[in-house]
Amino acid sequence: MILFQDLANEAQVGEVISEEKTLSVIDLILSGGTGSIVIISVLFAMLAVALYIYFERLLAIKAASTIDKNFMNQIRDHVMNGKLDAAKILCAQTDSPVARLTEKGVSRIGKPLDDINAAIENAGTLEVYKLEKNVNILATVAGAAPMIGFLGTVIGMILAFHQMASSGGQAEMGALASGIYTAMTTTVAGLVVGIIAYVGYNHLVNRTDKVIHKMEAHAVEFLDLLNEPV
């Protein structure tokens, strides 16, 4: 009989442990009260914005980095043969920052080289601005999300200690531990969102730098073309 009771107790303990292990994330968030729900909802909204900006910019940067390898050779042939209109048409038909910089340079042919260089640099500044559009929002999310998460944790700790003070120090430790444990989920959520946004931001910056380097290389190649003897 005692053996059967021990087995029954072990089964009950197993059921409790199983129930504890199957605690879902949604239940954990909802058990944190209104403050936890609001803060984590804000963090999820920030994550959605960060992911949208990341993938939108990634596709835009990928498109900007794609250019025909024979583009500059064709530009060289048109310029050397005096077919500036054909060179402009080719640039207009090619949707890329390199083509737009080249078009700006072709339209200034006949003017001093410094003026052509300045026109290309100004156009390059505008193209870089287009590439970096909204990328700074990722940096903001990367910095703000962990702080918002910490704010939720601090609020949870304040509420837990307030409960302890209100009960004259007789508050149940289980209730306090549950509140503190749930409050920590905001820190985890904030760190996860911050890390994702930070990694995405640095990846986009790296890809943008490569496109800028390609733009500079083609700009130098175009200026060298104008310096070649006819």
Side-chain angles (χ1 to χ4, degrees), residues 25-48 145 148-149 151-153 181-190 193:
V25 176
I26 296 177
D27 292 336
L28 187 61
I29 294 173
L30 294 178
S31 63
T34 303
S36 177
I37 294 174
V38 170
I39 290 176
I40 293 182
S41 298
V42 171
L43 290 173
F44 274 126
M46 294 173 68
L47 177 61
I148 293 176
L151 175 63
T153 299
Y181 176 71
T182 304
M184 294 298 289
T185 59
T186 60
T187 298
V188 174
V193 174

Side-chain angles (χ1 to χ4, degrees), residues 14-179:
E15 291 177 358
V16 172
I17 294 174
S18 177
E19 290 178 358
E20 290 179 352
K21 289 183 178 180
T22 57
L23 180 63
S24 66
V25 176
I26 296 177
D27 292 336
L28 187 61
I29 294 173
L30 294 178
S31 63
T34 303
S36 177
I37 294 174
V38 170
I39 290 176
I40 293 182
S41 298
V42 171
L43 290 173
F44 274 126
M46 294 173 68
L47 177 61
V49 171
L51 290 176
Y52 171 79
I53 292 175
Y54 172 75
F55 287 108
E56 187 272 334
R57 285 292 86 199
L58 184 63
L59 294 176
I61 293 172
K62 184 178 180 180
S65 63
T66 303
I67 189 170
D68 187 2
K69 295 181 179 179
N70 295 322
F71 174 76
M72 289 306 298
N73 292 330
Q74 293 175 316
I75 291 295
R76 178 187 298 274
D77 293 338
H78 290 322
V79 172
M80 296 301 291
N81 294 324
K83 300 178 181 179
L84 299 183
D85 291 336
K88 292 179 182 178
I89 293 174
L90 177 60
C91 292
Q93 293 176 344
T94 306
D95 185 17
S96 70
V98 171
R100 287 187 283 273
L101 294 184
T102 304
E103 182 180 12
K104 184 66 66 175
V106 171
S107 65
R108 295 294 193 277
I109 290 179
K111 296 184 178 181
L113 193 60
D114 291 340
D115 293 345
I116 298 176
N117 188 25
I120 293 177
E121 287 182 355
N122 292 333
T125 301
L126 294 176
E127 293 298 330
V128 171
Y129 175 77
K130 292 178 182 178
L131 291 175
E132 295 178 344
K133 180 183 178 182
N134 294 329
V135 175
N136 60 332
I137 296 179
L138 282 180
T140 302
V141 172
M147 290 190 291
I148 293 176
F150 290 142
L151 175 63
T153 299
V154 172
I155 292 175
M157 295 291 287
I158 291 175
L159 293 176
F161 283 112
H162 175 70
Q163 181 180 357
M164 181 183 294
S166 300
S167 61
Q170 301 299 321
E172 295 183 1
M173 293 303 298
L176 294 177
S178 176

Side-chain angles (χ1 to χ4, degrees), residues 195-208:
I195 290 171
I196 293 174
Y198 181 75
V199 172
Y201 170 78
N202 281 283
H203 183 242
L204 291 180
V205 168
N206 184 48
R207 293 292 298 270
T208 302

